[in-house]
Amino acid sequence: MIESLKKDYKLKDEGDLNEYLGIKMQRLEDGSRKLTQPALIKRILKQVQIPEQRPKKRRPQRTPANKVLQKDLGGLPRQHNWDYRSVIGMLNWLAKSTRPDIAFAVSQVARFQVNPRRSHENAVLRICKYLRDTKEEGMTMRAKNEGFVVYADSDFAGGYMKGHTHDPGTAKSRSAYYIMFNGCLVFWSSKLQTEIALSTTEAEYICLSQALQTTKYLMRFLREVSKNLPEFQPKKPIFRCTVFEDNNGAIELAKSPKLKPRTKHIHIKYHHFKSEVGKSIHIEKIGTEKQLADIGTKPLSRNLFARLRKELIGW
């Protein structure tokens, strides 16, 4: 492949792809690939002054988040003087590279960089302790010939709490979606929606639309790659998309060919994929207990978090 590109470009073969952009790649015996970033995790731990080895009497940190964060303007001030924004930047790069399991937790703490309080600082330290106890883990990718599979889920106004109603941001819902191609996780996102959804169905539908917008870009990109670089084609290239959603209202809204008056306000912005439903895009109902995107919408119990993490990234 490199030799053919040398005809048009000045390229140098740097050898095996092992640590590109700080990402360590390992080939496992079963043919799968494991991506990790232990060096970056050590750097983060050093900056927040957490020892690399967990104290023997302390239990491992099983989850990166245990509660929904608020502005907490009347809360206690921070105890430590490490650079909050710098640590968030490193955590964000880690979450977007090889650790999708911390995407929700990092998205939360990143919202409070202007005036972080002790509650936010403790949330960052919890993420760091979780990373310390799992620093050799990352993403395990095992290829299957099954095309695009998307899990999309939303937490309707999950941050809305009594005593915080003065903050409109608490009424926003959170979208989380995970896009897999041939059995490998290739894109993921966990973030607050930009507008306030008026119902669970609307929040789920907005999330579904956001997920499919990204998926359509990826599908078009791979179609172009398959045309121009035939050697990159799988044996049976599949560019259809199957989306798993656990809200009946959102599924009905996506599949219905008619525009309903109650959802007119989201018609232009979020109905961009409806013409492809039933053709290149298939939407299927999934039980809430099997919705893998739930890991990116809210804090979960240890057992549920571990099970969804296993399904998504293999450990």
Side-chain angles (χ1 to χ4, degrees), residues 40 72 76 88-89 94 138 140 143 146 149 194 217 222 227 235 248 252 296 310 312:
L40 177 57
D72 196 18
L76 296 172
I88 294 301
L94 186 63
T140 301
E146 60 181 17
V149 175
T194 55
Y217 291 150
L222 286 181
K227 290 179 181 178
K235 293 181 180 179
N248 287 323
E252 176 63 25
K310 175 72 174 178
L312 278 173

Side-chain angles (χ1 to χ4, degrees), residues 25-292:
M25 175 184 287
Q26 297 174 275
R27 289 179 170 84
L28 305 182
E29 294 181 357
D30 61 357
S32 60
R33 301 291 187 272
K34 184 177 181 180
L35 306 179
T36 58
Q37 291 177 279
L40 177 57
I41 293 176
K42 291 179 180 179
R43 182 180 170 190
I44 295 172
L45 295 177
K46 182 178 180 180
Q47 183 146 340
V48 297
Q49 301 171 7
I50 291 179
E52 291 186 21
Q53 298 300 323
R54 173 174 52 87
K56 293 182 179 180
K57 295 183 179 180
R58 294 291 183 90
R59 294 181 179 179
Q61 192 67 264
R62 302 294 187 183
T63 61
N66 64 344
K67 63 180 180 180
V68 176
L69 300 177
Q70 303 293 347
K71 285 187 176 180
D72 196 18
L73 296 178
L76 296 172
R78 291 182 57 194
Q79 285 183 306
H80 307 283
N81 60 357
W82 40 264
D83 191 332
Y84 190 93
R85 292 191 179 192
S86 175
V87 173
I88 294 301
M90 290 187 285
L91 287 174
N92 193 49
W93 169 248
L94 186 63
K96 292 182 179 299
S97 300
T98 62
R99 296 300 297 264
D101 51 321
I102 65 170
F104 165 76
V106 173
S107 175
Q108 277 210 120
V109 295
R111 295 179 55 219
F112 308 103
Q113 298 183 62
V114 175
N115 184 23
R117 312 302 290 174
R118 187 177 301 183
S119 59
H120 309 131
E121 181 181 68
N122 290 338
V124 172
L125 293 176
R126 182 185 178 93
I127 298 172
C128 294
K129 291 175 182 177
Y130 169 77
L131 292 172
R132 175 197 63 193
D133 298 337
T134 59
K135 60 178 176 291
E136 297 300 329
E137 301 294 348
M139 293 176 60
T140 301
M141 309 179 80
R142 298 179 178 87
K144 305 175 185 176
N145 197 32
E146 60 181 17
F148 283 94
V149 175
V150 182
Y151 293 87
D153 194 22
S154 175
D155 184 26
F156 175 56
Y160 189 82
M161 295 181 181
K162 293 181 179 179
H164 296 274
T165 53
H166 61 280
D167 180 12
T170 63
K172 291 183 178 179
S173 303
R174 177 173 289 274
S175 292
Y177 57 89
Y178 296 80
I179 303 173
M180 308 179 83
F181 179 67
N182 284 349
C184 300
L185 187 61
V186 295
F187 191 93
W188 55 91
S189 175
S190 174
K191 61 182 180 180
L192 290 181
Q193 296 176 359
T194 55
E195 60 268 275
I196 296 176
L198 303 181
S199 66
T200 302
T201 293
E202 186 175 332
E204 295 276 1
Y205 189 78
I206 290 172
C207 175
L208 179 64
S209 178
Q210 292 172 338
L212 287 177
Q213 187 174 23
T214 303
T215 305
K216 286 169 63 179
Y217 291 150
L218 293 173
M219 291 171 70
R220 286 198 294 267
F221 171 72
L222 286 181
R223 285 196 185 100
E224 185 174 346
V225 168
S226 66
K227 290 179 181 178
N228 295 284
L229 298 173
E231 53 267 54
F232 273 145
Q233 273 196 31
K235 293 181 180 179
K236 296 180 180 180
I238 303 175
F239 298 120
R240 69 173 185 271
C241 172
T242 301
V243 189
F244 291 108
E245 174 62 59
D246 61 2
N247 182 273
N248 287 323
I251 294 174
E252 176 63 25
L253 185 59
K255 290 185 175 181
S256 175
K258 297 181 180 180
L259 170 63
K260 299 183 179 181
R262 291 185 64 183
T263 56
K264 182 179 179 181
H265 59 292
I266 61 172
H267 173 243
I268 297 176
K269 189 172 184 180
Y270 292 112
H271 284 15
H272 62 88
F273 64 89
K274 292 193 70 170
S275 61
E276 298 181 45
V277 174
K279 300 175 183 177
S280 61
I281 294 174
H282 303 271
I283 301 176
E284 298 182 9
K285 180 73 165 60
I286 190 174
T288 302
E289 70 282 357
K290 296 182 180 179
Q291 175 55 275
L292 303 188

